[in-house]
Amino acid sequence: MNIILMGPPGAGKGTQSEKILAKYNIPHISTGDMFREAIKNQTKLGMEAQSYINSGKLVPDEVTIGLVKERLSQPDCANGYLLDGFPRTIPQAEALEKLSQEIARPVEIVVNITANKDVLVERISQRRVCPSCGNSYHLTFKKPQVENVCDGCGASLIQRKDDTIESLNVRLDAYENQTKPLVDFYSEKGLCKEVDGLQSIDDVFKNIQDILDEVK
Ligand code: AP5
Ligand code: MG
Ligand code: ZN
């Protein structure tokens, strides 16, 4: 399956990607995760992206498109892909049209997870992540077994640098102005399905499974 997961910051894209990956075994491509990995390793890409990400701004299209082009050309994507956080602008969506044709894997479904600002602020402020393995937690809804310790690898949990209220406001603006127009872009093609992200993590996943099982 060739899937896009869309939604504002904190809607649950990463959380649901993990569950989709476990059930359907589709390569999970998160541009945010790829940028964070590059920053951790201090690569050229990481140094270029760092200031944009920490302040909550979108990384320029040509950088992001180049990254996804390379990733989609890897052999595992011949069986499909789950894009999380890409595309986020109209030029990125247009580039994806071309890239997906090149690998003969056109987008089949766009799942748009919705949530309101109050909930997004709450989720982002309560999120904790593992700096070592990337696992993600929530202080109330997805608690680690031992307070502040990663279940997967035992490292101490941290907050993402862009999970401050200042950066979140910039990210929400970027979503409204640059990403939300993609809902129309994909709705006009008949590809967009909405899921209510205010439900529990498991109920959101149930809705997503219903949508994906129809595509299969
Ligand atoms: P990215 O990493 O994609 O961040 P984002 O879009 O802001 O989204 P988040 O990862 O914050 O939220 P999420 O929807 O994954 O929520 P999660 O599942 O973690 O991008 C980061 C930055 O990279 C961008 O700002 C930009 O600078 C750059 N970038 C990335 N892609 C780009 C692109 N294409 N173009 C340009 N720049 C790009 O959930 C959040 C919390 O809520 C967690 O604690 C979770 O446990 C909890 N939770 C989730 N679902 C539920 C639920 N249903 N009920 C209760 N709690 C829940
Ligand atoms: Mg995420
Ligand atoms: Zn860990």
Side-chain angles (χ1 to χ4, degrees):
M1 273 184 284
N2 318 320
I3 310 164
I4 297 175
L5 265 194
M6 246 171 27
K13 302 181 295 292
T15 304
Q16 297 300 327
S17 292
E18 226 176 86
K19 291 172 114 31
I20 295 169
L21 177 65
K23 176 162 182 197
Y24 300 91
N25 196 26
I26 309 167
H28 173 213
I29 304 178
S30 158
T31 39
D33 286 351
M34 289 161 89
F35 284 133
R36 281 184 289 277
E37 185 66 23
I39 291 171
K40 193 166 101 185
N41 297 327
Q42 288 289 296
T43 64
K44 189 168 161 272
L45 174 74
M47 292 196 278
E48 208 171 344
Q50 191 158 19
S51 62
Y52 293 102
I53 294 195
N54 290 348
S55 65
K57 289 186 196 142
L58 294 184
V59 177
D61 281 338
E62 60 274 20
V63 177
T64 310
I65 291 167
L67 179 70
V68 172
K69 184 179 162 84
E70 199 182 308
R71 182 63 188 87
L72 281 179
S73 67
Q74 304 289 311
D76 59 337
C77 295
N79 298 317
Y81 50 80
L82 168 61
L83 286 167
D84 158 6
F86 183 93
R88 260 170 145 106
T89 63
I90 295 284
Q92 290 181 17
E94 287 167 349
L96 179 62
E97 299 257 285
K98 266 212 221 140
L99 293 175
S100 60
Q101 274 164 20
E102 277 164 28
I103 60 166
R105 285 245 154 230
V107 173
E108 287 168 301
I109 194 83
V110 179
V111 177
N112 182 33
I113 309 177
T114 59
N116 58 46
K117 185 175 173 184
D118 289 349
V119 168
L120 299 173
V121 170
E122 187 276 341
R123 286 189 188 165
I124 291 291
S125 56
Q126 303 237 49
R127 174 166 56 191
R128 296 294 181 274
V129 296
C130 175
S132 179
C133 74
N135 276 357
S136 173
Y137 301 88
H138 183 283
L139 295 181
T140 309
F141 301 116
K142 204 182 165 208
K143 283 186 182 173
Q145 279 162 8
V146 179
E147 198 181 326
N148 217 36
V149 175
C150 177
D151 294 346
C153 74
S156 295
L157 303 180
I158 57 163
Q159 277 193 287
R160 255 169 57 175
K161 275 221 173 95
D162 59 343
D163 279 353
T164 61
I165 194 71
E166 295 78 28
S167 291
L168 178 59
N169 280 325
V170 178
R171 285 154 67 196
L172 287 168
D173 280 350
Y175 176 77
E176 279 299 318
N177 299 326
Q178 291 169 274
T179 308
K180 223 173 168 188
L182 296 184
V183 174
D184 287 341
F185 181 93
Y186 286 114
S187 295
E188 278 160 21
K189 297 178 191 293
L191 295 176
C192 198
K193 295 268 186 197
E194 196 164 289
V195 170
D196 176 7
L198 299 180
Q199 306 171 91
S200 71
I201 292 176
D202 287 340
D203 284 341
V204 173
F205 186 54
K206 272 189 203 134
N207 286 183
I208 293 178
Q209 285 177 86
D210 289 343
I211 292 170
L212 298 188
D213 289 342
E214 246 176 64
V215 178
K216 261 205 305 186

